Amino acid sequence: MNIYLDTEEKVCDYNVTVKIKKTWRIQLKLLQKLEEVCKKHNIKYFAVCGTLLGAVRHNGFIPWDDDMDVGLLREDYNKLIYALKDEFEYPFFLQTPISESERHSNVTRLRYSESTAIELRDKNLHCNNGIYIDVFPFDGVVDNKIKRKFHFFEIGIYSYLLSHTRVFENQAKKPFSYYICSPITKAVGYDNLFIKYQKVCAKYSNKASERMGILSGSRQHTEFYYPRKALQ
C-alpha cells in the first residue's frame, strides 16, 4: 500500500480511500514534529495500541484505523506538556485540558491546525479540531492487587469528575450526576483538578512496580500492562 498515491486501494479486503490516506499523511507529519521535539530534548517515545499493531502486522497503518497513538513515560510526558508545549508552533498545536479548556476530553493530542477532524461530541465546541495523534502517559501499575484496585478506583473518581462536568456543561438536558460533579469541579478549579488527577495516575510511576500502563485519559487501558523494562 502506498499512502502517497491518491488512488483507492484494497488491503486485507478493506477499501483504503484517498481520504484516509490524506489523513495518514498529516498524522505522519505530526509524528515527525513530535520526533523532532523529543530528539531535541532527549525524550523517548514509542508506538502503542493500534499504531504498534499496524507497524508490526501491516508494516504501517492498519487499513481501517484512522488514528495514531504514541506513549511516553510519565516524567517525559510531564516535561512535554508543561515545559515544552511552546515548541509546537502553528500549524502544530499541543492540546491538553489546560491549554484548551473548551474541550472536555482528558487525552492529550498533537493537532495539525490546517486540517479538520471533528468528532461528534466536539461539534458544538470552539476548540482546535485539526487532525491529531493521541499522546498517552505511561504510569506504574502497582503489583499488590488490593492497592491496584484502590488506585484504579481513585483514578476513576477524578476522571468522572473531569469528563462528566465538561461533557454536559453546554447541554440543555443534564443528568442528575452533573449537578453532583459540577460544583466539586468548579470549587476546586478544573485546571487544579486535572493536575491532581495526573498526580494520582502517577502515584506508582517512580516505584519498583514491574508493569506500566495507560491509566489516564478517556481511554483508560487498565486491563493492558506493559513490562517496565520494555519501556525504559
Side-chain angles (χ1 to χ4, degrees), residues 110-136:
L110 179 58
R111 289 187 180 268
Y112 192 72
S113 302
E114 295 180 350
S115 64
T116 304
I118 303 175
E119 295 180 314
L120 287 176
R121 63 180 180 179
D122 296 336
K123 65 180 181 178
N124 296 319
L125 300 180
H126 300 288
C127 60
N128 190 308
N129 283 307
I131 290 172
Y132 63 86
I133 60 176
D134 287 328
V135 182
F136 294 106

PDB file of all heavy atoms in Angstrom, residues 110-136:
ATOM      1  N   LEU A 110      -1.746  16.014  19.810  1.00  0.00           N
ATOM      2  CA  LEU A 110      -0.980  16.915  18.964  1.00  0.00           C
ATOM      3  C   LEU A 110      -1.772  17.071  17.677  1.00  0.00           C
ATOM      4  O   LEU A 110      -2.012  16.089  16.963  1.00  0.00           O
ATOM      5  CB  LEU A 110       0.414  16.354  18.683  1.00  0.00           C
ATOM      6  CG  LEU A 110       1.302  17.211  17.785  1.00  0.00           C
ATOM      7  CD1 LEU A 110       1.504  18.603  18.369  1.00  0.00           C
ATOM      8  CD2 LEU A 110       2.657  16.536  17.558  1.00  0.00           C
ATOM      9  N   ARG A 111      -2.204  18.314  17.395  1.00  0.00           N
ATOM     10  CA  ARG A 111      -3.097  18.556  16.257  1.00  0.00           C
ATOM     11  C   ARG A 111      -2.414  19.377  15.160  1.00  0.00           C
ATOM     12  O   ARG A 111      -1.495  20.146  15.435  1.00  0.00           O
ATOM     13  CB  ARG A 111      -4.357  19.282  16.715  1.00  0.00           C
ATOM     14  CG  ARG A 111      -5.304  18.402  17.554  1.00  0.00           C
ATOM     15  CD  ARG A 111      -6.603  19.124  17.820  1.00  0.00           C
ATOM     16  NE  ARG A 111      -7.541  18.365  18.611  1.00  0.00           N
ATOM     17  CZ  ARG A 111      -8.493  17.568  18.114  1.00  0.00           C
ATOM     18  NH1 ARG A 111      -8.608  17.424  16.801  1.00  0.00           N
ATOM     19  NH2 ARG A 111      -9.323  16.932  18.909  1.00  0.00           N
ATOM     20  N   TYR A 112      -2.927  19.193  13.955  1.00  0.00           N
ATOM     21  CA  TYR A 112      -2.468  19.966  12.800  1.00  0.00           C
ATOM     22  C   TYR A 112      -3.585  20.950  12.456  1.00  0.00           C
ATOM     23  O   TYR A 112      -4.649  20.560  11.958  1.00  0.00           O
ATOM     24  CB  TYR A 112      -2.160  19.050  11.618  1.00  0.00           C
ATOM     25  CG  TYR A 112      -1.423  19.736  10.501  1.00  0.00           C
ATOM     26  CD1 TYR A 112      -0.083  20.095  10.638  1.00  0.00           C
ATOM     27  CD2 TYR A 112      -2.063  20.055   9.307  1.00  0.00           C
ATOM     28  CE1 TYR A 112       0.598  20.738   9.614  1.00  0.00           C
ATOM     29  CE2 TYR A 112      -1.387  20.692   8.273  1.00  0.00           C
ATOM     30  CZ  TYR A 112      -0.057  21.032   8.448  1.00  0.00           C
ATOM     31  OH  TYR A 112       0.621  21.685   7.427  1.00  0.00           O
ATOM     32  N   SER A 113      -3.348  22.221  12.733  1.00  0.00           N
ATOM     33  CA  SER A 113      -4.407  23.234  12.670  1.00  0.00           C
ATOM     34  C   SER A 113      -4.925  23.514  11.255  1.00  0.00           C
ATOM     35  O   SER A 113      -6.034  24.035  11.102  1.00  0.00           O
ATOM     36  CB  SER A 113      -3.907  24.545  13.293  1.00  0.00           C
ATOM     37  OG  SER A 113      -3.509  24.340  14.632  1.00  0.00           O
ATOM     38  N   GLU A 114      -4.155  23.181  10.245  1.00  0.00           N
ATOM     39  CA  GLU A 114      -4.588  23.431   8.865  1.00  0.00           C
ATOM     40  C   GLU A 114      -5.317  22.223   8.286  1.00  0.00           C
ATOM     41  O   GLU A 114      -5.186  21.904   7.105  1.00  0.00           O
ATOM     42  CB  GLU A 114      -3.389  23.816   8.008  1.00  0.00           C
ATOM     43  CG  GLU A 114      -2.755  25.141   8.416  1.00  0.00           C
ATOM     44  CD  GLU A 114      -1.561  25.526   7.562  1.00  0.00           C
ATOM     45  OE1 GLU A 114      -1.110  24.665   6.768  1.00  0.00           O
ATOM     46  OE2 GLU A 114      -1.075  26.669   7.681  1.00  0.00           O
ATOM     47  N   SER A 115      -6.074  21.555   9.125  1.00  0.00           N
ATOM     48  CA  SER A 115      -6.875  20.408   8.705  1.00  0.00           C
ATOM     49  C   SER A 115      -8.092  20.342   9.626  1.00  0.00           C
ATOM     50  O   SER A 115      -8.175  21.073  10.611  1.00  0.00           O
ATOM     51  CB  SER A 115      -6.067  19.110   8.788  1.00  0.00           C
ATOM     52  OG  SER A 115      -5.711  18.839  10.148  1.00  0.00           O
ATOM     53  N   THR A 116      -9.011  19.445   9.328  1.00  0.00           N
ATOM     54  CA  THR A 116     -10.235  19.342  10.134  1.00  0.00           C
ATOM     55  C   THR A 116     -10.593  17.887  10.378  1.00  0.00           C
ATOM     56  O   THR A 116     -10.632  17.078   9.448  1.00  0.00           O
ATOM     57  CB  THR A 116     -11.420  20.039   9.428  1.00  0.00           C
ATOM     58  OG1 THR A 116     -11.071  21.399   9.158  1.00  0.00           O
ATOM     59  CG2 THR A 116     -12.664  20.000  10.305  1.00  0.00           C
ATOM     60  N   ALA A 117     -10.855  17.565  11.657  1.00  0.00           N
ATOM     61  CA  ALA A 117     -11.314  16.227  12.036  1.00  0.00           C
ATOM     62  C   ALA A 117     -12.202  16.386  13.267  1.00  0.00           C
ATOM     63  O   ALA A 117     -11.759  16.235  14.398  1.00  0.00           O
ATOM     64  CB  ALA A 117     -10.128  15.312  12.332  1.00  0.00           C
ATOM     65  N   ILE A 118     -13.469  16.705  13.042  1.00  0.00           N
ATOM     66  CA  ILE A 118     -14.393  16.993  14.140  1.00  0.00           C
ATOM     67  C   ILE A 118     -15.119  15.725  14.581  1.00  0.00           C
ATOM     68  O   ILE A 118     -15.807  15.089  13.777  1.00  0.00           O
ATOM     69  CB  ILE A 118     -15.421  18.058  13.730  1.00  0.00           C
ATOM     70  CG1 ILE A 118     -14.719  19.336  13.263  1.00  0.00           C
ATOM     71  CG2 ILE A 118     -16.365  18.369  14.892  1.00  0.00           C
ATOM     72  CD1 ILE A 118     -15.658  20.396  12.731  1.00  0.00           C
ATOM     73  N   GLU A 119     -14.938  15.373  15.859  1.00  0.00           N
ATOM     74  CA  GLU A 119     -15.685  14.256  16.426  1.00  0.00           C
ATOM     75  C   GLU A 119     -17.078  14.746  16.821  1.00  0.00           C
ATOM     76  O   GLU A 119     -17.277  15.923  17.128  1.00  0.00           O
ATOM     77  CB  GLU A 119     -14.955  13.697  17.641  1.00  0.00           C
ATOM     78  CG  GLU A 119     -13.609  13.087  17.291  1.00  0.00           C
ATOM     79  CD  GLU A 119     -12.889  12.531  18.504  1.00  0.00           C
ATOM     80  OE1 GLU A 119     -12.837  13.238  19.534  1.00  0.00           O
ATOM     81  OE2 GLU A 119     -12.392  11.401  18.428  1.00  0.00           O
ATOM     82  N   LEU A 120     -18.049  13.844  16.848  1.00  0.00           N
ATOM     83  CA  LEU A 120     -19.431  14.224  17.112  1.00  0.00           C
ATOM     84  C   LEU A 120     -19.582  14.966  18.433  1.00  0.00           C
ATOM     85  O   LEU A 120     -20.307  15.958  18.523  1.00  0.00           O
ATOM     86  CB  LEU A 120     -20.329  12.979  17.103  1.00  0.00           C
ATOM     87  CG  LEU A 120     -20.603  12.362  15.726  1.00  0.00           C
ATOM     88  CD1 LEU A 120     -21.427  11.093  15.878  1.00  0.00           C
ATOM     89  CD2 LEU A 120     -21.323  13.356  14.829  1.00  0.00           C
ATOM     90  N   ARG A 121     -18.876  14.504  19.470  1.00  0.00           N
ATOM     91  CA  ARG A 121     -19.034  15.132  20.781  1.00  0.00           C
ATOM     92  C   ARG A 121     -18.404  16.526  20.841  1.00  0.00           C
ATOM     93  O   ARG A 121     -18.657  17.287  21.766  1.00  0.00           O
ATOM     94  CB  ARG A 121     -18.405  14.254  21.867  1.00  0.00           C
ATOM     95  CG  ARG A 121     -16.907  14.057  21.721  1.00  0.00           C
ATOM     96  CD  ARG A 121     -16.378  13.187  22.827  1.00  0.00           C
ATOM     97  NE  ARG A 121     -14.943  12.990  22.710  1.00  0.00           N
ATOM     98  CZ  ARG A 121     -14.226  12.284  23.576  1.00  0.00           C
ATOM     99  NH1 ARG A 121     -14.809  11.727  24.623  1.00  0.00           N
ATOM    100  NH2 ARG A 121     -12.919  12.140  23.407  1.00  0.00           N
ATOM    101  N   ASP A 122     -17.573  16.856  19.840  1.00  0.00           N
ATOM    102  CA  ASP A 122     -16.899  18.163  19.821  1.00  0.00           C
ATOM    103  C   ASP A 122     -17.512  19.139  18.811  1.00  0.00           C
ATOM    104  O   ASP A 122     -17.020  20.256  18.654  1.00  0.00           O
ATOM    105  CB  ASP A 122     -15.404  17.988  19.477  1.00  0.00           C
ATOM    106  CG  ASP A 122     -14.653  17.189  20.530  1.00  0.00           C
ATOM    107  OD1 ASP A 122     -15.116  17.169  21.686  1.00  0.00           O
ATOM    108  OD2 ASP A 122     -13.616  16.601  20.190  1.00  0.00           O
ATOM    109  N   LYS A 123     -18.589  18.747  18.150  1.00  0.00           N
ATOM    110  CA  LYS A 123     -19.074  19.539  17.011  1.00  0.00           C
ATOM    111  C   LYS A 123     -19.571  20.929  17.409  1.00  0.00           C
ATOM    112  O   LYS A 123     -19.571  21.836  16.585  1.00  0.00           O
ATOM    113  CB  LYS A 123     -20.164  18.773  16.263  1.00  0.00           C
ATOM    114  CG  LYS A 123     -21.445  18.534  17.057  1.00  0.00           C
ATOM    115  CD  LYS A 123     -22.456  17.774  16.217  1.00  0.00           C
ATOM    116  CE  LYS A 123     -23.752  17.541  16.995  1.00  0.00           C
ATOM    117  NZ  LYS A 123     -24.767  16.834  16.170  1.00  0.00           N
ATOM    118  N   ASN A 124     -19.999  21.112  18.650  1.00  0.00           N
ATOM    119  CA  ASN A 124     -20.502  22.417  19.084  1.00  0.00           C
ATOM    120  C   ASN A 124     -19.509  23.178  19.953  1.00  0.00           C
ATOM    121  O   ASN A 124     -19.854  24.198  20.561  1.00  0.00           O
ATOM    122  CB  ASN A 124     -21.823  22.250  19.842  1.00  0.00           C
ATOM    123  CG  ASN A 124     -22.933  21.692  18.958  1.00  0.00           C
ATOM    124  OD1 ASN A 124     -23.065  22.088  17.804  1.00  0.00           O
ATOM    125  ND2 ASN A 124     -23.714  20.769  19.492  1.00  0.00           N
ATOM    126  N   LEU A 125     -18.285  22.680  20.027  1.00  0.00           N
ATOM    127  CA  LEU A 125     -17.276  23.309  20.875  1.00  0.00           C
ATOM    128  C   LEU A 125     -16.366  24.216  20.046  1.00  0.00           C
ATOM    129  O   LEU A 125     -16.075  23.931  18.885  1.00  0.00           O
ATOM    130  CB  LEU A 125     -16.437  22.244  21.579  1.00  0.00           C
ATOM    131  CG  LEU A 125     -17.183  21.274  22.499  1.00  0.00           C
ATOM    132  CD1 LEU A 125     -16.206  20.287  23.117  1.00  0.00           C
ATOM    133  CD2 LEU A 125     -17.926  22.027  23.589  1.00  0.00           C
ATOM    134  N   HIS A 126     -15.919  25.292  20.646  1.00  0.00           N
ATOM    135  CA  HIS A 126     -14.992  26.213  19.976  1.00  0.00           C
ATOM    136  C   HIS A 126     -13.563  25.833  20.381  1.00  0.00           C
ATOM    137  O   HIS A 126     -12.984  26.405  21.299  1.00  0.00           O
ATOM    138  CB  HIS A 126     -15.305  27.653  20.370  1.00  0.00           C
ATOM    139  CG  HIS A 126     -16.687  28.086  20.011  1.00  0.00           C
ATOM    140  ND1 HIS A 126     -17.079  28.317  18.707  1.00  0.00           N
ATOM    141  CD2 HIS A 126     -17.788  28.301  20.784  1.00  0.00           C
ATOM    142  CE1 HIS A 126     -18.352  28.676  18.685  1.00  0.00           C
ATOM    143  NE2 HIS A 126     -18.805  28.676  19.937  1.00  0.00           N
ATOM    144  N   CYS A 127     -13.046  24.832  19.712  1.00  0.00           N
ATOM    145  CA  CYS A 127     -11.710  24.346  20.037  1.00  0.00           C
ATOM    146  C   CYS A 127     -11.007  23.898  18.761  1.00  0.00           C
ATOM    147  O   CYS A 127     -11.610  23.823  17.694  1.00  0.00           O
ATOM    148  CB  CYS A 127     -11.776  23.191  21.041  1.00  0.00           C
ATOM    149  SG  CYS A 127     -12.709  21.744  20.467  1.00  0.00           S
ATOM    150  N   ASN A 128      -9.718  23.622  18.867  1.00  0.00           N
ATOM    151  CA  ASN A 128      -8.943  23.154  17.722  1.00  0.00           C
ATOM    152  C   ASN A 128      -9.407  21.745  17.355  1.00  0.00           C
ATOM    153  O   ASN A 128      -9.344  20.825  18.169  1.00  0.00           O
ATOM    154  CB  ASN A 128      -7.458  23.155  18.072  1.00  0.00           C
ATOM    155  CG  ASN A 128      -6.584  22.908  16.859  1.00  0.00           C
ATOM    156  OD1 ASN A 128      -6.774  21.952  16.123  1.00  0.00           O
ATOM    157  ND2 ASN A 128      -5.602  23.771  16.656  1.00  0.00           N
ATOM    158  N   ASN A 129      -9.888  21.582  16.137  1.00  0.00           N
ATOM    159  CA  ASN A 129     -10.370  20.287  15.666  1.00  0.00           C
ATOM    160  C   ASN A 129      -9.556  19.778  14.484  1.00  0.00           C
ATOM    161  O   ASN A 129     -10.086  19.146  13.571  1.00  0.00           O
ATOM    162  CB  ASN A 129     -11.849  20.381  15.283  1.00  0.00           C
ATOM    163  CG  ASN A 129     -12.762  20.395  16.492  1.00  0.00           C
ATOM    164  OD1 ASN A 129     -12.678  19.512  17.347  1.00  0.00           O
ATOM    165  ND2 ASN A 129     -13.608  21.397  16.593  1.00  0.00           N
ATOM    166  N   GLY A 130      -8.268  20.057  14.491  1.00  0.00           N
ATOM    167  CA  GLY A 130      -7.409  19.557  13.428  1.00  0.00           C
ATOM    168  C   GLY A 130      -7.167  18.060  13.565  1.00  0.00           C
ATOM    169  O   GLY A 130      -7.399  17.466  14.632  1.00  0.00           O
ATOM    170  N   ILE A 131      -6.721  17.449  12.484  1.00  0.00           N
ATOM    171  CA  ILE A 131      -6.321  16.033  12.534  1.00  0.00           C
ATOM    172  C   ILE A 131      -5.249  15.882  13.598  1.00  0.00           C
ATOM    173  O   ILE A 131      -4.420  16.758  13.799  1.00  0.00           O
ATOM    174  CB  ILE A 131      -5.835  15.571  11.148  1.00  0.00           C
ATOM    175  CG1 ILE A 131      -7.028  15.512  10.175  1.00  0.00           C
ATOM    176  CG2 ILE A 131      -5.137  14.214  11.218  1.00  0.00           C
ATOM    177  CD1 ILE A 131      -6.647  15.258   8.731  1.00  0.00           C
ATOM    178  N   TYR A 132      -5.241  14.754  14.305  1.00  0.00           N
ATOM    179  CA  TYR A 132      -4.421  14.632  15.505  1.00  0.00           C
ATOM    180  C   TYR A 132      -3.771  13.258  15.656  1.00  0.00           C
ATOM    181  O   TYR A 132      -4.132  12.293  14.966  1.00  0.00           O
ATOM    182  CB  TYR A 132      -5.296  14.887  16.736  1.00  0.00           C
ATOM    183  CG  TYR A 132      -6.419  13.869  16.893  1.00  0.00           C
ATOM    184  CD1 TYR A 132      -6.224  12.659  17.556  1.00  0.00           C
ATOM    185  CD2 TYR A 132      -7.687  14.108  16.343  1.00  0.00           C
ATOM    186  CE1 TYR A 132      -7.247  11.725  17.673  1.00  0.00           C
ATOM    187  CE2 TYR A 132      -8.706  13.189  16.454  1.00  0.00           C
ATOM    188  CZ  TYR A 132      -8.487  11.995  17.132  1.00  0.00           C
ATOM    189  OH  TYR A 132      -9.492  11.080  17.236  1.00  0.00           O
ATOM    190  N   ILE A 133      -2.826  13.210  16.587  1.00  0.00           N
ATOM    191  CA  ILE A 133      -2.338  11.945  17.119  1.00  0.00           C
ATOM    192  C   ILE A 133      -2.502  12.021  18.642  1.00  0.00           C
ATOM    193  O   ILE A 133      -2.344  13.076  19.253  1.00  0.00           O
ATOM    194  CB  ILE A 133      -0.868  11.646  16.739  1.00  0.00           C
ATOM    195  CG1 ILE A 133       0.080  12.733  17.257  1.00  0.00           C
ATOM    196  CG2 ILE A 133      -0.726  11.499  15.241  1.00  0.00           C
ATOM    197  CD1 ILE A 133       1.547  12.421  16.975  1.00  0.00           C
ATOM    198  N   ASP A 134      -2.862  10.902  19.252  1.00  0.00           N
ATOM    199  CA  ASP A 134      -3.032  10.836  20.703  1.00  0.00           C
ATOM    200  C   ASP A 134      -1.684  10.616  21.376  1.00  0.00           C
ATOM    201  O   ASP A 134      -0.859   9.819  20.900  1.00  0.00           O
ATOM    202  CB  ASP A 134      -3.972   9.695  21.090  1.00  0.00           C
ATOM    203  CG  ASP A 134      -5.425   9.999  20.767  1.00  0.00           C
ATOM    204  OD1 ASP A 134      -5.799  11.185  20.829  1.00  0.00           O
ATOM    205  OD2 ASP A 134      -6.180   9.063  20.440  1.00  0.00           O
ATOM    206  N   VAL A 135      -1.476  11.310  22.492  1.00  0.00           N
ATOM    207  CA  VAL A 135      -0.233  11.192  23.255  1.00  0.00           C
ATOM    208  C   VAL A 135      -0.586  10.754  24.678  1.00  0.00           C
ATOM    209  O   VAL A 135      -1.219  11.500  25.423  1.00  0.00           O
ATOM    210  CB  VAL A 135       0.536  12.529  23.298  1.00  0.00           C
ATOM    211  CG1 VAL A 135       1.849  12.369  24.054  1.00  0.00           C
ATOM    212  CG2 VAL A 135       0.804  13.038  21.875  1.00  0.00           C
ATOM    213  N   PHE A 136      -0.179   9.528  25.045  1.00  0.00           N
ATOM    214  CA  PHE A 136      -0.547   8.958  26.330  1.00  0.00           C
ATOM    215  C   PHE A 136       0.647   8.870  27.277  1.00  0.00           C
ATOM    216  O   PHE A 136       1.736   8.443  26.870  1.00  0.00           O
ATOM    217  CB  PHE A 136      -1.104   7.538  26.154  1.00  0.00           C
ATOM    218  CG  PHE A 136      -2.411   7.477  25.405  1.00  0.00           C
ATOM    219  CD1 PHE A 136      -2.446   7.025  24.096  1.00  0.00           C
ATOM    220  CD2 PHE A 136      -3.593   7.853  26.017  1.00  0.00           C
ATOM    221  CE1 PHE A 136      -3.649   6.955  23.399  1.00  0.00           C
ATOM    222  CE2 PHE A 136      -4.802   7.784  25.327  1.00  0.00           C
ATOM    223  CZ  PHE A 136      -4.826   7.332  24.019  1.00  0.00           C
TER     224      PHE A 136
END
